[in-house]
């Protein structure tokens, strides 16, 4: 432990960790809104109170980090937490629905094998820790923005962000168990941008309440679809099916 202090990690992991903070706050806030509605609060009260849950939870973590010698409170994390909270609250206030949702997808990467203690030593750990394998999406429902057009209620279009070539936070040089490693000339740290159709699972009609509940939970995950990718290292390419 130490005195409370800030720690600048804004250049780490090509900001993938920051987008992860935004995603967490968004869904914690969304769950909070639904809880407040269930408890009988008005839509406006539910938006402000429940939508703030993610920010309160994640800010608590930042305060604890601020007293840690090895870490510190991160202004970048706080900004990302605020962005995720703002996304969920603003839509709840403006439309009483989420027309633009954050989503997550995961594709296996080879980089965790080079530093498993940081990026994950098994599949479950890598889902949370391997930023090379993660993609975060903003998925917009088309019929919500164009109700007069005869579009499927579940049809979305999504833009995604990812990165690869990372075995360290700032660079690809690190030390493990007293041994120094330098992958600077082996792996290039690059950003990835995606465009893809998507499905809003919560808008698929069903008469069974439990099926709807399953679809709502699963809606946090991007549905595999044909995808156009721009990779800052290799340029533009398409995928017939990408998760």
């Amino acid at each position: 432990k130490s005195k409370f202090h800030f720690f600048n990690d804004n250049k780490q992991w090509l900001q993938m960790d920051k987008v992860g903070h935004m995603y967490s706050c968004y869904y914690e806030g969304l769950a909070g809104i639904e809880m407040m509605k269930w408890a009988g609060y008005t839509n406006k009260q539910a938006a402000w109170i429940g939508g703030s849950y993610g920010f309160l939870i994640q800010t608590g973590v930042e305060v604890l980090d601020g007293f840690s010698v090895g870490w510190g409170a991160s202004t970048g994390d706080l900004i990302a937490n605020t962005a995720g909270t703002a996304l969920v609250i603003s839509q709840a206030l403006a439309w009483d629905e989420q027309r633009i949702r954050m989503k997550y997808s995961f594709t296996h990467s080879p980089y965790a094998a080079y530093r498993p203690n940081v990026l994950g030593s098994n599949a479950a750990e890598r889902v949370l820790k391997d930023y090379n394998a993660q993609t975060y999406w903003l998925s917009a429902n088309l019929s919500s923005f164009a109700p007069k057009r005869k579009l499927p209620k579940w049809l979305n279009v999504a833009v995604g962000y990812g990165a690869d070539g990372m075995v360290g936070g700032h660079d690809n040089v690190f030390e493990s168990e007293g041994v120094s490693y330098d992958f600077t000339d082996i792996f290039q740290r690059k950003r990835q941008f995606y465009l893809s159709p998507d499905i809003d699972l919560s808008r698929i009609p069903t008469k069974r309440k439990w099926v709807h509940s399953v679809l709502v939970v699963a809606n946090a995950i991007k549905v595999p679809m044909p995808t156009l990718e721009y990779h800052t290292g290799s340029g533009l390419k398409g995928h017939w099916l990408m998760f």
Side-chain angles (χ1 to χ4, degrees), residues 199-228:
I199 297 175
D200 188 335
L201 298 176
S202 68
R203 295 176 187 267
I204 294 178
T206 176
K207 294 181 179 180
R208 297 184 181 274
K209 190 175 182 179
W210 69 269
V211 173
H212 177 72
S213 297
V214 170
L215 291 174
V216 167
V217 173
N219 208 32
I221 306 297
K222 169 73 168 62
V223 176
M225 284 282 192
T227 302
L228 188 64

Side-chain angles (χ1 to χ4, degrees), residues 157-219:
V157 62
V159 292
Y161 174 66
D164 67 0
M166 305 178 293
V167 290
H170 288 287
D171 50 41
N172 289 339
V173 180
F174 63 91
E175 185 175 307
S176 178
E177 297 181 354
V179 180
S180 297
Y181 297 89
D182 188 344
F183 289 92
T184 303
D185 297 328
I186 301 175
F187 301 137
Q188 290 188 321
R189 301 164 69 90
K190 299 296 182 180
R191 302 178 190 272
Q192 299 157 298
F193 302 91
Y194 302 96
L195 179 65
S196 173
D198 188 29
I199 297 175
D200 188 335
L201 298 176
S202 68
R203 295 176 187 267
I204 294 178
T206 176
K207 294 181 179 180
R208 297 184 181 274
K209 190 175 182 179
W210 69 269
V211 173
H212 177 72
S213 297
V214 170
L215 291 174
V216 167
V217 173
N219 208 32

Side-chain angles (χ1 to χ4, degrees), residues 144-165:
S144 295
F145 290 103
K148 294 183 179 181
R149 295 186 177 272
K150 296 181 179 181
L151 297 170
K153 298 294 185 182
W154 45 263
L155 181 61
N156 281 26
V157 62
V159 292
Y161 174 66
D164 67 0

Side-chain angles (χ1 to χ4, degrees), residues 100-117:
I100 303 172
R101 292 178 178 268
M102 292 201 72
K103 294 198 175 189
Y104 168 92
S105 63
F106 179 90
T107 304
H108 175 77
S109 86
Y111 303 103
Y114 295 90
R115 202 178 180 189
N117 61 317

